[in-house]
């Protein structure tokens, strides 16, 4: 089981790197309707009062659940995409399957 660390001070770049290393897939993070800049921190993007926490994810975690967690916990829209970031993963896929798209 992998743990993705997400704190107020986490940058978009550090979260993306964790997803690449652990699951061989990408996470797209949004600032409104645009992609979030890699230097932005969770606290800058978050629409909640107290963003932060750690996220326990396994290779079999569903894309839908990860996207929902980020929205509910941080108020941040995210989408999971394949390893080379050319296709969005289907919500019913696991993170491992998304990396193999």
């Amino acid at each position: 089981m992998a743990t993705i660390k997400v704190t107020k001070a986490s940058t978009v770049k550090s979260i993306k790197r964790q997803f690449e290393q652990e699951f061989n897939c990408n996470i797209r993070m949004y600032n409104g309707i645009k992609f979030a800049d890699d230097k932005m921190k969770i606290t800058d993007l978050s629409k909640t009062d107290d963003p932060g926490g750690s996220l326990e994810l396994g290779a079999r975690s569903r894309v839908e659940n990860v996207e929902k967690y980020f929205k509910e916990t941080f108020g941040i829209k995210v989408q999971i995409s394949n390893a080379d970031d050319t296709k969005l993963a289907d919500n019913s896929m696991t993170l491992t399957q998304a990396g193999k798209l």
Side-chain angles (χ1 to χ4, degrees), residues 74-91:
F74 307 112
I76 299 171
K77 180 182 177 185
V78 302
Q79 291 187 305
I80 305 298
S81 62
N82 63 348
D84 57 4
D85 201 18
T86 56
K87 287 190 237 174
L88 290 177
D90 187 83
N91 282 345

Side-chain angles (χ1 to χ4, degrees), residues 4-5 11-12 15 41 63 72 75 78 86-87 93 98-99:
I4 302 295
K5 296 264 186 249
T11 61
V12 170
I15 295 168
K41 293 183 171 30
V63 167
E72 290 175 357
V78 302
T86 56
K87 287 190 237 174
M93 291 180 149

Side-chain angles (χ1 to χ4, degrees), residues 27-30 66-67 70-71 76-80:
I27 183 167
R28 295 179 181 180
M29 301 183 82
Y30 293 86
V66 174
E67 292 175 355
F70 271 89
K71 189 68 172 166
I76 299 171
K77 180 182 177 185
V78 302
Q79 291 187 305
I80 305 298

Side-chain angles (χ1 to χ4, degrees), residues 46-62:
S46 181
K47 308 288 186 256
T48 62
D49 292 335
D50 188 28
S54 59
L55 178 54
E56 294 283 333
L57 295 174
R60 297 180 66 168
S61 294
R62 297 254 172 238

